[in-house]
Amino acid sequence: MSTFVNKRVVIIGGGVAGSVLAKTLQEHAQVFLIDPKEYFEIAWASLRCMVEPSFAEKTLINHTEYASNAHIITSAAINISETEVTTANGKTISYDYLVIATGHDEKTEFTKTEKLGYFKANQEKIKSTNSILIVGGGPTGVELAGEISTDFPGKKVTLVHRGSRLLEFVGEKASKRAQKWLLKKNVEVILGESVTNLSSNTNGGIYKTSGGKSISADCHFLCTGKPLASTWLKETMLGKSLDNKGRLMVDETLLVKGYKNIFAVGDINDVKEMKQGYLAQMHSLVVAKSIKSLVNGKEKLEAYKGGAQMAIVSLGRKDAVAQISGMTMSGWIPAKMKSGDMFVTKTRKTLGLTS
């Protein structure tokens, strides 16, 4: 038997980074994937699922489908020592190498069946209403406005964003193109204001803004950013390895600084780059090479060199706005890259699955 059989790799988090790592390493070590959900969700396709629930069947993938040789622990990790990880369901898993890939906090964890029901319920909510308020003008809010205005053009959609422009993580040119597209679809865009009575207005009605505006809407969707899933780490030995934004500080090999066998990949680390799913996958491939070397008794670690800075925001089915290495484009070309199936086929192939 190969020596790798005795090496144990524990991966915390089954998102875009953790799934690729588990898939890649399962033939080279004993892999333990710890995740509160029994499935991997292609999260950037979730807004399409809101208007087309049948699409969700392709985007929710049981961990056992792509990582059949890994040990799947359906629970949250709650503590880490120098040799073990403890989970909420009482398991203790020892490791030789540990990878933190927890990404962002989803707040609510669904079973796969519940998640499919969630998408169906949201479609029904959209279909049954005449007016919809979207709070947040980042990529989630803009894409949701695009999906609704494309599939349900008769709906009155209002988007409120507290920033001075949409999509503040990309350049101003891309922001203006996205806003121009939404306005053509009759989406009302209100910038520089926030909604002040969301908590007391859960079932629609009159929404008030910080600028004194009143918005009548039958329902609303909150599309603001999600916090990093790192709060629990503060109470572990890695608490001192978090920066002031809650990210794990790593070196050029994506090792958590001060440790020789603990890596951090995806949004949870402090690599200074645009946080995108494809870059998280690149993190995982770099760490996979390093762990393969370590398992085989070699000390050479791979350095992460970064990837092209690229952001594509879908605007319905046939349009998109993109910023690639500082260049902005919009229309059918970036749409062909993403908007058709939201990279679902590509992601499934990365995990060794058919379309």
Side-chain angles (χ1 to χ4, degrees), residues 104 139 169 228 247-248 250 265-280 283 309-311:
H104 286 84
F169 74 111
L228 288 169
R247 294 189 172 116
L248 286 167
V250 296
V265 295
D267 290 357
I268 201 70
N269 70 31
D270 71 337
V271 174
K272 293 176 174 58
E273 63 184 359
M274 192 180 293
K275 295 299 183 179
Q276 298 285 322
Y278 74 98
L279 293 175
H283 292 186
Q309 297 297 291
M310 176 177 69

mmCIF file with all atom_site columns, all heavy atoms in Angstrom, residues 104 139 169 228 247-248 250 265-280 283 309-311:
data_model
loop_
_atom_site.group_PDB
_atom_site.id
_atom_site.type_symbol
_atom_site.label_atom_id
_atom_site.label_alt_id
_atom_site.label_comp_id
_atom_site.label_asym_id
_atom_site.label_entity_id
_atom_site.label_seq_id
_atom_site.pdbx_PDB_ins_code
_atom_site.Cartn_x
_atom_site.Cartn_y
_atom_site.Cartn_z
_atom_site.occupancy
_atom_site.B_iso_or_equiv
_atom_site.pdbx_formal_charge
_atom_site.auth_seq_id
_atom_site.auth_comp_id
_atom_site.auth_asym_id
_atom_site.auth_atom_id
_atom_site.pdbx_PDB_model_num
ATOM 1   N N   . HIS A 1 104 ? -17.928 32.380 3.225   1.00 0.00 ? 104 HIS A N   1
ATOM 2   C CA  . HIS A 1 104 ? -18.837 33.298 3.893   1.00 0.00 ? 104 HIS A CA  1
ATOM 3   C C   . HIS A 1 104 ? -19.924 32.549 4.664   1.00 0.00 ? 104 HIS A C   1
ATOM 4   O O   . HIS A 1 104 ? -20.290 31.435 4.319   1.00 0.00 ? 104 HIS A O   1
ATOM 5   C CB  . HIS A 1 104 ? -19.478 34.251 2.884   1.00 0.00 ? 104 HIS A CB  1
ATOM 6   C CG  . HIS A 1 104 ? -18.541 35.313 2.398   1.00 0.00 ? 104 HIS A CG  1
ATOM 7   N ND1 . HIS A 1 104 ? -17.652 35.099 1.364   1.00 0.00 ? 104 HIS A ND1 1
ATOM 8   C CD2 . HIS A 1 104 ? -18.341 36.587 2.819   1.00 0.00 ? 104 HIS A CD2 1
ATOM 9   C CE1 . HIS A 1 104 ? -16.947 36.199 1.171   1.00 0.00 ? 104 HIS A CE1 1
ATOM 10  N NE2 . HIS A 1 104 ? -17.336 37.110 2.037   1.00 0.00 ? 104 HIS A NE2 1
ATOM 11  N N   . PRO A 1 139 ? -23.000 42.813 -6.795  1.00 0.00 ? 139 PRO A N   1
ATOM 12  C CA  . PRO A 1 139 ? -23.288 41.852 -7.865  1.00 0.00 ? 139 PRO A CA  1
ATOM 13  C C   . PRO A 1 139 ? -24.559 41.045 -7.627  1.00 0.00 ? 139 PRO A C   1
ATOM 14  O O   . PRO A 1 139 ? -25.283 40.746 -8.574  1.00 0.00 ? 139 PRO A O   1
ATOM 15  C CB  . PRO A 1 139 ? -22.048 40.956 -7.889  1.00 0.00 ? 139 PRO A CB  1
ATOM 16  C CG  . PRO A 1 139 ? -21.362 41.181 -6.580  1.00 0.00 ? 139 PRO A CG  1
ATOM 17  C CD  . PRO A 1 139 ? -21.672 42.583 -6.205  1.00 0.00 ? 139 PRO A CD  1
ATOM 18  N N   . PHE A 1 169 ? -17.116 47.262 -6.509  1.00 0.00 ? 169 PHE A N   1
ATOM 19  C CA  . PHE A 1 169 ? -15.874 46.477 -6.511  1.00 0.00 ? 169 PHE A CA  1
ATOM 20  C C   . PHE A 1 169 ? -15.187 46.486 -7.874  1.00 0.00 ? 169 PHE A C   1
ATOM 21  O O   . PHE A 1 169 ? -14.063 46.010 -8.018  1.00 0.00 ? 169 PHE A O   1
ATOM 22  C CB  . PHE A 1 169 ? -16.147 45.037 -6.067  1.00 0.00 ? 169 PHE A CB  1
ATOM 23  C CG  . PHE A 1 169 ? -16.852 44.183 -7.086  1.00 0.00 ? 169 PHE A CG  1
ATOM 24  C CD1 . PHE A 1 169 ? -16.192 43.131 -7.711  1.00 0.00 ? 169 PHE A CD1 1
ATOM 25  C CD2 . PHE A 1 169 ? -18.180 44.426 -7.428  1.00 0.00 ? 169 PHE A CD2 1
ATOM 26  C CE1 . PHE A 1 169 ? -16.840 42.342 -8.648  1.00 0.00 ? 169 PHE A CE1 1
ATOM 27  C CE2 . PHE A 1 169 ? -18.828 43.634 -8.350  1.00 0.00 ? 169 PHE A CE2 1
ATOM 28  C CZ  . PHE A 1 169 ? -18.160 42.595 -8.968  1.00 0.00 ? 169 PHE A CZ  1
ATOM 29  N N   . LEU A 1 228 ? -17.830 36.958 6.630   1.00 0.00 ? 228 LEU A N   1
ATOM 30  C CA  . LEU A 1 228 ? -16.959 35.784 6.543   1.00 0.00 ? 228 LEU A CA  1
ATOM 31  C C   . LEU A 1 228 ? -17.318 34.781 7.634   1.00 0.00 ? 228 LEU A C   1
ATOM 32  O O   . LEU A 1 228 ? -17.693 35.161 8.743   1.00 0.00 ? 228 LEU A O   1
ATOM 33  C CB  . LEU A 1 228 ? -15.502 36.199 6.690   1.00 0.00 ? 228 LEU A CB  1
ATOM 34  C CG  . LEU A 1 228 ? -14.876 36.953 5.518   1.00 0.00 ? 228 LEU A CG  1
ATOM 35  C CD1 . LEU A 1 228 ? -13.529 37.520 5.913   1.00 0.00 ? 228 LEU A CD1 1
ATOM 36  C CD2 . LEU A 1 228 ? -14.727 36.041 4.305   1.00 0.00 ? 228 LEU A CD2 1
ATOM 37  N N   . ARG A 1 247 ? -10.032 37.669 8.304   1.00 0.00 ? 247 ARG A N   1
ATOM 38  C CA  . ARG A 1 247 ? -9.424  36.754 7.342   1.00 0.00 ? 247 ARG A CA  1
ATOM 39  C C   . ARG A 1 247 ? -8.154  36.151 7.925   1.00 0.00 ? 247 ARG A C   1
ATOM 40  O O   . ARG A 1 247 ? -7.420  36.807 8.676   1.00 0.00 ? 247 ARG A O   1
ATOM 41  C CB  . ARG A 1 247 ? -9.095  37.482 6.036   1.00 0.00 ? 247 ARG A CB  1
ATOM 42  C CG  . ARG A 1 247 ? -10.327 37.967 5.280   1.00 0.00 ? 247 ARG A CG  1
ATOM 43  C CD  . ARG A 1 247 ? -9.931  38.478 3.901   1.00 0.00 ? 247 ARG A CD  1
ATOM 44  N NE  . ARG A 1 247 ? -11.109 38.761 3.120   1.00 0.00 ? 247 ARG A NE  1
ATOM 45  C CZ  . ARG A 1 247 ? -11.462 39.963 2.681   1.00 0.00 ? 247 ARG A CZ  1
ATOM 46  N NH1 . ARG A 1 247 ? -10.717 41.019 2.971   1.00 0.00 ? 247 ARG A NH1 1
ATOM 47  N NH2 . ARG A 1 247 ? -12.555 40.134 1.959   1.00 0.00 ? 247 ARG A NH2 1
ATOM 48  N N   . LEU A 1 248 ? -7.909  34.898 7.568   1.00 0.00 ? 248 LEU A N   1
ATOM 49  C CA  . LEU A 1 248 ? -6.684  34.238 8.014   1.00 0.00 ? 248 LEU A CA  1
ATOM 50  C C   . LEU A 1 248 ? -5.494  34.767 7.221   1.00 0.00 ? 248 LEU A C   1
ATOM 51  O O   . LEU A 1 248 ? -5.522  34.793 5.980   1.00 0.00 ? 248 LEU A O   1
ATOM 52  C CB  . LEU A 1 248 ? -6.807  32.725 7.837   1.00 0.00 ? 248 LEU A CB  1
ATOM 53  C CG  . LEU A 1 248 ? -7.712  32.023 8.856   1.00 0.00 ? 248 LEU A CG  1
ATOM 54  C CD1 . LEU A 1 248 ? -8.018  30.595 8.404   1.00 0.00 ? 248 LEU A CD1 1
ATOM 55  C CD2 . LEU A 1 248 ? -7.068  32.006 10.241  1.00 0.00 ? 248 LEU A CD2 1
ATOM 56  N N   . VAL A 1 250 ? -2.067  34.573 5.490   1.00 0.00 ? 250 VAL A N   1
ATOM 57  C CA  . VAL A 1 250 ? -1.319  33.478 4.872   1.00 0.00 ? 250 VAL A CA  1
ATOM 58  C C   . VAL A 1 250 ? -0.055  34.011 4.201   1.00 0.00 ? 250 VAL A C   1
ATOM 59  O O   . VAL A 1 250 ? 0.063   35.203 3.908   1.00 0.00 ? 250 VAL A O   1
ATOM 60  C CB  . VAL A 1 250 ? -2.185  32.736 3.831   1.00 0.00 ? 250 VAL A CB  1
ATOM 61  C CG1 . VAL A 1 250 ? -3.381  32.073 4.489   1.00 0.00 ? 250 VAL A CG1 1
ATOM 62  C CG2 . VAL A 1 250 ? -2.648  33.675 2.714   1.00 0.00 ? 250 VAL A CG2 1
ATOM 63  N N   . VAL A 1 265 ? -7.763  28.701 2.104   1.00 0.00 ? 265 VAL A N   1
ATOM 64  C CA  . VAL A 1 265 ? -8.034  28.948 0.689   1.00 0.00 ? 265 VAL A CA  1
ATOM 65  C C   . VAL A 1 265 ? -9.377  29.656 0.513   1.00 0.00 ? 265 VAL A C   1
ATOM 66  O O   . VAL A 1 265 ? -10.280 29.540 1.337   1.00 0.00 ? 265 VAL A O   1
ATOM 67  C CB  . VAL A 1 265 ? -8.033  27.632 -0.127  1.00 0.00 ? 265 VAL A CB  1
ATOM 68  C CG1 . VAL A 1 265 ? -6.653  27.003 -0.125  1.00 0.00 ? 265 VAL A CG1 1
ATOM 69  C CG2 . VAL A 1 265 ? -9.063  26.633 0.426   1.00 0.00 ? 265 VAL A CG2 1
ATOM 70  N N   . GLY A 1 266 ? -9.497  30.382 -0.595  1.00 0.00 ? 266 GLY A N   1
ATOM 71  C CA  . GLY A 1 266 ? -10.747 31.063 -0.898  1.00 0.00 ? 266 GLY A CA  1
ATOM 72  C C   . GLY A 1 266 ? -10.896 32.375 -0.147  1.00 0.00 ? 266 GLY A C   1
ATOM 73  O O   . GLY A 1 266 ? -9.915  32.992 0.291   1.00 0.00 ? 266 GLY A O   1
ATOM 74  N N   . ASP A 1 267 ? -12.136 32.802 0.037   1.00 0.00 ? 267 ASP A N   1
ATOM 75  C CA  . ASP A 1 267 ? -12.418 34.114 0.622   1.00 0.00 ? 267 ASP A CA  1
ATOM 76  C C   . ASP A 1 267 ? -11.929 34.259 2.052   1.00 0.00 ? 267 ASP A C   1
ATOM 77  O O   . ASP A 1 267 ? -11.783 35.388 2.545   1.00 0.00 ? 267 ASP A O   1
ATOM 78  C CB  . ASP A 1 267 ? -13.933 34.380 0.598   1.00 0.00 ? 267 ASP A CB  1
ATOM 79  C CG  . ASP A 1 267 ? -14.457 34.609 -0.810  1.00 0.00 ? 267 ASP A CG  1
ATOM 80  O OD1 . ASP A 1 267 ? -13.645 34.616 -1.754  1.00 0.00 ? 267 ASP A OD1 1
ATOM 81  O OD2 . ASP A 1 267 ? -15.681 34.769 -0.972  1.00 0.00 ? 267 ASP A OD2 1
ATOM 82  N N   . ILE A 1 268 ? -11.671 33.155 2.736   1.00 0.00 ? 268 ILE A N   1
ATOM 83  C CA  . ILE A 1 268 ? -11.292 33.208 4.141   1.00 0.00 ? 268 ILE A CA  1
ATOM 84  C C   . ILE A 1 268 ? -9.857  33.684 4.348   1.00 0.00 ? 268 ILE A C   1
ATOM 85  O O   . ILE A 1 268 ? -9.467  34.063 5.448   1.00 0.00 ? 268 ILE A O   1
ATOM 86  C CB  . ILE A 1 268 ? -11.497 31.816 4.817   1.00 0.00 ? 268 ILE A CB  1
ATOM 87  C CG1 . ILE A 1 268 ? -11.614 31.951 6.343   1.00 0.00 ? 268 ILE A CG1 1
ATOM 88  C CG2 . ILE A 1 268 ? -10.379 30.856 4.437   1.00 0.00 ? 268 ILE A CG2 1
ATOM 89  C CD1 . ILE A 1 268 ? -12.883 32.596 6.805   1.00 0.00 ? 268 ILE A CD1 1
ATOM 90  N N   . ASN A 1 269 ? -9.032  33.680 3.298   1.00 0.00 ? 269 ASN A N   1
ATOM 91  C CA  . ASN A 1 269 ? -7.648  34.135 3.475   1.00 0.00 ? 269 ASN A CA  1
ATOM 92  C C   . ASN A 1 269 ? -7.490  35.603 3.078   1.00 0.00 ? 269 ASN A C   1
ATOM 93  O O   . ASN A 1 269 ? -8.389  36.218 2.504   1.00 0.00 ? 269 ASN A O   1
ATOM 94  C CB  . ASN A 1 269 ? -6.643  33.229 2.742   1.00 0.00 ? 269 ASN A CB  1
ATOM 95  C CG  . ASN A 1 269 ? -6.712  33.341 1.219   1.00 0.00 ? 269 ASN A CG  1
ATOM 96  O OD1 . ASN A 1 269 ? -7.028  34.388 0.656   1.00 0.00 ? 269 ASN A OD1 1
ATOM 97  N ND2 . ASN A 1 269 ? -6.410  32.243 0.547   1.00 0.00 ? 269 ASN A ND2 1
ATOM 98  N N   . ASP A 1 270 ? -6.333  36.170 3.399   1.00 0.00 ? 270 ASP A N   1
ATOM 99  C CA  . ASP A 1 270 ? -6.116  37.610 3.210   1.00 0.00 ? 270 ASP A CA  1
ATOM 100 C C   . ASP A 1 270 ? -5.340  37.939 1.943   1.00 0.00 ? 270 ASP A C   1
ATOM 101 O O   . ASP A 1 270 ? -4.751  39.029 1.841   1.00 0.00 ? 270 ASP A O   1
ATOM 102 C CB  . ASP A 1 270 ? -5.416  38.204 4.435   1.00 0.00 ? 270 ASP A CB  1
ATOM 103 C CG  . ASP A 1 270 ? -3.951  37.775 4.554   1.00 0.00 ? 270 ASP A CG  1
ATOM 104 O OD1 . ASP A 1 270 ? -3.585  36.718 3.990   1.00 0.00 ? 270 ASP A OD1 1
ATOM 105 O OD2 . ASP A 1 270 ? -3.173  38.491 5.216   1.00 0.00 ? 270 ASP A OD2 1
ATOM 106 N N   . VAL A 1 271 ? -5.322  37.035 0.964   1.00 0.00 ? 271 VAL A N   1
ATOM 107 C CA  . VAL A 1 271 ? -4.662  37.334 -0.306  1.00 0.00 ? 271 VAL A CA  1
ATOM 108 C C   . VAL A 1 271 ? -5.321  38.567 -0.914  1.00 0.00 ? 271 VAL A C   1
ATOM 109 O O   . VAL A 1 271 ? -6.547  38.656 -1.019  1.00 0.00 ? 271 VAL A O   1
ATOM 110 C CB  . VAL A 1 271 ? -4.765  36.139 -1.280  1.00 0.00 ? 271 VAL A CB  1
ATOM 111 C CG1 . VAL A 1 271 ? -4.215  36.516 -2.652  1.00 0.00 ? 271 VAL A CG1 1
ATOM 112 C CG2 . VAL A 1 271 ? -4.011  34.937 -0.716  1.00 0.00 ? 271 VAL A CG2 1
ATOM 113 N N   . LYS A 1 272 ? -4.501  39.533 -1.309  1.00 0.00 ? 272 LYS A N   1
ATOM 114 C CA  . LYS A 1 272 ? -5.026  40.793 -1.816  1.00 0.00 ? 272 LYS A CA  1
ATOM 115 C C   . LYS A 1 272 ? -5.370  40.662 -3.302  1.00 0.00 ? 272 LYS A C   1
ATOM 116 O O   . LYS A 1 272 ? -4.536  40.900 -4.172  1.00 0.00 ? 272 LYS A O   1
ATOM 117 C CB  . LYS A 1 272 ? -4.010  41.907 -1.566  1.00 0.00 ? 272 LYS A CB  1
ATOM 118 C CG  . LYS A 1 272 ? -3.822  42.215 -0.085  1.00 0.00 ? 272 LYS A CG  1
ATOM 119 C CD  . LYS A 1 272 ? -2.742  43.241 0.157   1.00 0.00 ? 272 LYS A CD  1
ATOM 120 C CE  . LYS A 1 272 ? -2.684  43.619 1.629   1.00 0.00 ? 272 LYS A CE  1
ATOM 121 N NZ  . LYS A 1 272 ? -2.440  42.455 2.497   1.00 0.00 ? 272 LYS A NZ  1
ATOM 122 N N   . GLU A 1 273 ? -6.591  40.274 -3.549  1.00 0.00 ? 273 GLU A N   1
ATOM 123 C CA  . GLU A 1 273 ? -7.086  40.130 -4.915  1.00 0.00 ? 273 GLU A CA  1
ATOM 124 C C   . GLU A 1 273 ? -8.605  40.180 -4.880  1.00 0.00 ? 273 GLU A C   1
ATOM 125 O O   . GLU A 1 273 ? -9.221  40.111 -3.807  1.00 0.00 ? 273 GLU A O   1
ATOM 126 C CB  . GLU A 1 273 ? -6.628  38.794 -5.521  1.00 0.00 ? 273 GLU A CB  1
ATOM 127 C CG  . GLU A 1 273 ? -7.177  37.585 -4.791  1.00 0.00 ? 273 GLU A CG  1
ATOM 128 C CD  . GLU A 1 273 ? -6.647  36.261 -5.322  1.00 0.00 ? 273 GLU A CD  1
ATOM 129 O OE1 . GLU A 1 273 ? -5.856  36.269 -6.279  1.00 0.00 ? 273 GLU A OE1 1
ATOM 130 O OE2 . GLU A 1 273 ? -7.020  35.217 -4.758  1.00 0.00 ? 273 GLU A OE2 1
ATOM 131 N N   . MET A 1 274 ? -9.227  40.317 -6.031  1.00 0.00 ? 274 MET A N   1
ATOM 132 C CA  . MET A 1 274 ? -10.679 40.273 -6.120  1.00 0.00 ? 274 MET A CA  1
ATOM 133 C C   . MET A 1 274 ? -11.133 38.880 -5.704  1.00 0.00 ? 274 MET A C   1
ATOM 134 O O   . MET A 1 274 ? -10.608 37.875 -6.192  1.00 0.00 ? 274 MET A O   1
ATOM 135 C CB  . MET A 1 274 ? -11.091 40.566 -7.571  1.00 0.00 ? 274 MET A CB  1
ATOM 136 C CG  . MET A 1 274 ? -12.563 40.826 -7.766  1.00 0.00 ? 274 MET A CG  1
ATOM 137 S SD  . MET A 1 274 ? -12.935 41.166 -9.523  1.00 0.00 ? 274 MET A SD  1
ATOM 138 C CE  . MET A 1 274 ? -12.104 42.733 -9.758  1.00 0.00 ? 274 MET A CE  1
ATOM 139 N N   . LYS A 1 275 ? -12.086 38.802 -4.790  1.00 0.00 ? 275 LYS A N   1
ATOM 140 C CA  . LYS A 1 275 ? -12.542 37.498 -4.303  1.00 0.00 ? 275 LYS A CA  1
ATOM 141 C C   . LYS A 1 275 ? -13.557 36.913 -5.277  1.00 0.00 ? 275 LYS A C   1
ATOM 142 O O   . LYS A 1 275 ? -14.693 37.380 -5.369  1.00 0.00 ? 275 LYS A O   1
ATOM 143 C CB  . LYS A 1 275 ? -13.149 37.639 -2.905  1.00 0.00 ? 275 LYS A CB  1
ATOM 144 C CG  . LYS A 1 275 ? -12.140 38.061 -1.845  1.00 0.00 ? 275 LYS A CG  1
ATOM 145 C CD  . LYS A 1 275 ? -11.014 37.055 -1.682  1.00 0.00 ? 275 LYS A CD  1
ATOM 146 C CE  . LYS A 1 275 ? -10.057 37.431 -0.578  1.00 0.00 ? 275 LYS A CE  1
ATOM 147 N NZ  . LYS A 1 275 ? -8.968  36.453 -0.403  1.00 0.00 ? 275 LYS A NZ  1
ATOM 148 N N   . GLN A 1 276 ? -13.121 35.920 -6.040  1.00 0.00 ? 276 GLN A N   1
ATOM 149 C CA  . GLN A 1 276 ? -13.940 35.309 -7.076  1.00 0.00 ? 276 GLN A CA  1
ATOM 150 C C   . GLN A 1 276 ? -13.836 33.789 -6.963  1.00 0.00 ? 276 GLN A C   1
ATOM 151 O O   . GLN A 1 276 ? -12.809 33.249 -6.520  1.00 0.00 ? 276 GLN A O   1
ATOM 152 C CB  . GLN A 1 276 ? -13.467 35.740 -8.466  1.00 0.00 ? 276 GLN A CB  1
ATOM 153 C CG  . GLN A 1 276 ? -13.581 37.229 -8.721  1.00 0.00 ? 276 GLN A CG  1
ATOM 154 C CD  . GLN A 1 276 ? -15.006 37.676 -8.960  1.00 0.00 ? 276 GLN A CD  1
ATOM 155 O OE1 . GLN A 1 276 ? -15.792 36.988 -9.592  1.00 0.00 ? 276 GLN A OE1 1
ATOM 156 N NE2 . GLN A 1 276 ? -15.353 38.845 -8.455  1.00 0.00 ? 276 GLN A NE2 1
ATOM 157 N N   . GLY A 1 277 ? -14.881 33.087 -7.410  1.00 0.00 ? 277 GLY A N   1
ATOM 158 C CA  . GLY A 1 277 ? -14.898 31.634 -7.311  1.00 0.00 ? 277 GLY A CA  1
ATOM 159 C C   . GLY A 1 277 ? -13.765 30.960 -8.052  1.00 0.00 ? 277 GLY A C   1
ATOM 160 O O   . GLY A 1 277 ? -13.156 30.000 -7.549  1.00 0.00 ? 277 GLY A O   1
ATOM 161 N N   . TYR A 1 278 ? -13.449 31.443 -9.257  1.00 0.00 ? 278 TYR A N   1
ATOM 162 C CA  . TYR A 1 278 ? -12.395 30.785 -10.035 1.00 0.00 ? 278 TYR A CA  1
ATOM 163 C C   . TYR A 1 278 ? -11.029 30.956 -9.393  1.00 0.00 ? 278 TYR A C   1
ATOM 164 O O   . TYR A 1 278 ? -10.151 30.081 -9.511  1.00 0.00 ? 278 TYR A O   1
ATOM 165 C CB  . TYR A 1 278 ? -12.389 31.302 -11.480 1.00 0.00 ? 278 TYR A CB  1
ATOM 166 C CG  . TYR A 1 278 ? -11.831 32.691 -11.659 1.00 0.00 ? 278 TYR A CG  1
ATOM 167 C CD1 . TYR A 1 278 ? -10.514 32.886 -12.062 1.00 0.00 ? 278 TYR A CD1 1
ATOM 168 C CD2 . TYR A 1 278 ? -12.608 33.812 -11.433 1.00 0.00 ? 278 TYR A CD2 1
ATOM 169 C CE1 . TYR A 1 278 ? -9.997  34.158 -12.227 1.00 0.00 ? 278 TYR A CE1 1
ATOM 170 C CE2 . TYR A 1 278 ? -12.109 35.082 -11.590 1.00 0.00 ? 278 TYR A CE2 1
ATOM 171 C CZ  . TYR A 1 278 ? -10.794 35.259 -11.991 1.00 0.00 ? 278 TYR A CZ  1
ATOM 172 O OH  . TYR A 1 278 ? -10.289 36.523 -12.143 1.00 0.00 ? 278 TYR A OH  1
ATOM 173 N N   . LEU A 1 279 ? -10.827 32.076 -8.660  1.00 0.00 ? 279 LEU A N   1
ATOM 174 C CA  . LEU A 1 279 ? -9.565  32.261 -7.950  1.00 0.00 ? 279 LEU A CA  1
ATOM 175 C C   . LEU A 1 279 ? -9.492  31.347 -6.729  1.00 0.00 ? 279 LEU A C   1
ATOM 176 O O   . LEU A 1 279 ? -8.423  30.829 -6.400  1.00 0.00 ? 279 LEU A O   1
ATOM 177 C CB  . LEU A 1 279 ? -9.406  33.726 -7.538  1.00 0.00 ? 279 LEU A CB  1
ATOM 178 C CG  . LEU A 1 279 ? -9.228  34.713 -8.695  1.00 0.00 ? 279 LEU A CG  1
ATOM 179 C CD1 . LEU A 1 279 ? -9.198  36.143 -8.169  1.00 0.00 ? 279 LEU A CD1 1
ATOM 180 C CD2 . LEU A 1 279 ? -7.962  34.411 -9.490  1.00 0.00 ? 279 LEU A CD2 1
ATOM 181 N N   . ALA A 1 280 ? -10.635 31.127 -6.071  1.00 0.00 ? 280 ALA A N   1
ATOM 182 C CA  . ALA A 1 280 ? -10.668 30.177 -4.955  1.00 0.00 ? 280 ALA A CA  1
ATOM 183 C C   . ALA A 1 280 ? -10.299 28.779 -5.439  1.00 0.00 ? 280 ALA A C   1
ATOM 184 O O   . ALA A 1 280 ? -9.591  28.031 -4.742  1.00 0.00 ? 280 ALA A O   1
ATOM 185 C CB  . ALA A 1 280 ? -12.056 30.173 -4.316  1.00 0.00 ? 280 ALA A CB  1
ATOM 186 N N   . HIS A 1 283 ? -6.603  28.642 -5.786  1.00 0.00 ? 283 HIS A N   1
ATOM 187 C CA  . HIS A 1 283 ? -5.988  28.439 -4.462  1.00 0.00 ? 283 HIS A CA  1
ATOM 188 C C   . HIS A 1 283 ? -5.932  26.944 -4.146  1.00 0.00 ? 283 HIS A C   1
ATOM 189 O O   . HIS A 1 283 ? -4.890  26.412 -3.703  1.00 0.00 ? 283 HIS A O   1
ATOM 190 C CB  . HIS A 1 283 ? -6.822  29.110 -3.361  1.00 0.00 ? 283 HIS A CB  1
ATOM 191 C CG  . HIS A 1 283 ? -6.834  30.599 -3.400  1.00 0.00 ? 283 HIS A CG  1
ATOM 192 N ND1 . HIS A 1 283 ? -7.429  31.344 -2.406  1.00 0.00 ? 283 HIS A ND1 1
ATOM 193 C CD2 . HIS A 1 283 ? -6.336  31.487 -4.284  1.00 0.00 ? 283 HIS A CD2 1
ATOM 194 C CE1 . HIS A 1 283 ? -7.297  32.625 -2.682  1.00 0.00 ? 283 HIS A CE1 1
ATOM 195 N NE2 . HIS A 1 283 ? -6.651  32.740 -3.827  1.00 0.00 ? 283 HIS A NE2 1
ATOM 196 N N   . GLN A 1 309 ? -7.437  39.310 -13.035 1.00 0.00 ? 309 GLN A N   1
ATOM 197 C CA  . GLN A 1 309 ? -8.523  39.959 -12.300 1.00 0.00 ? 309 GLN A CA  1
ATOM 198 C C   . GLN A 1 309 ? -9.718  40.096 -13.239 1.00 0.00 ? 309 GLN A C   1
ATOM 199 O O   . GLN A 1 309 ? -9.702  40.893 -14.175 1.00 0.00 ? 309 GLN A O   1
ATOM 200 C CB  . GLN A 1 309 ? -8.077  41.324 -11.787 1.00 0.00 ? 309 GLN A CB  1
ATOM 201 C CG  . GLN A 1 309 ? -6.922  41.245 -10.788 1.00 0.00 ? 309 GLN A CG  1
ATOM 202 C CD  . GLN A 1 309 ? -7.294  40.505 -9.518  1.00 0.00 ? 309 GLN A CD  1
ATOM 203 O OE1 . GLN A 1 309 ? -8.086  40.975 -8.728  1.00 0.00 ? 309 GLN A OE1 1
ATOM 204 N NE2 . GLN A 1 309 ? -6.703  39.332 -9.307  1.00 0.00 ? 309 GLN A NE2 1
ATOM 205 N N   . MET A 1 310 ? -10.740 39.313 -12.987 1.00 0.00 ? 310 MET A N   1
ATOM 206 C CA  . MET A 1 310 ? -11.883 39.255 -13.894 1.00 0.00 ? 310 MET A CA  1
ATOM 207 C C   . MET A 1 310 ? -13.171 39.208 -13.098 1.00 0.00 ? 310 MET A C   1
ATOM 208 O O   . MET A 1 310 ? -13.297 38.439 -12.151 1.00 0.00 ? 310 MET A O   1
ATOM 209 C CB  . MET A 1 310 ? -11.782 38.009 -14.796 1.00 0.00 ? 310 MET A CB  1
ATOM 210 C CG  . MET A 1 310 ? -12.970 37.794 -15.709 1.00 0.00 ? 310 MET A CG  1
ATOM 211 S SD  . MET A 1 310 ? -12.762 36.358 -16.794 1.00 0.00 ? 310 MET A SD  1
ATOM 212 C CE  . MET A 1 310 ? -12.847 35.018 -15.595 1.00 0.00 ? 310 MET A CE  1
ATOM 213 N N   . ALA A 1 311 ? -14.113 40.045 -13.475 1.00 0.00 ? 311 ALA A N   1
ATOM 214 C CA  . ALA A 1 311 ? -15.436 40.022 -12.863 1.00 0.00 ? 311 ALA A CA  1
ATOM 215 C C   . ALA A 1 311 ? -16.480 40.114 -13.961 1.00 0.00 ? 311 ALA A C   1
ATOM 216 O O   . ALA A 1 311 ? -16.399 40.986 -14.829 1.00 0.00 ? 311 ALA A O   1
ATOM 217 C CB  . ALA A 1 311 ? -15.593 41.189 -11.894 1.00 0.00 ? 311 ALA A CB  1
#
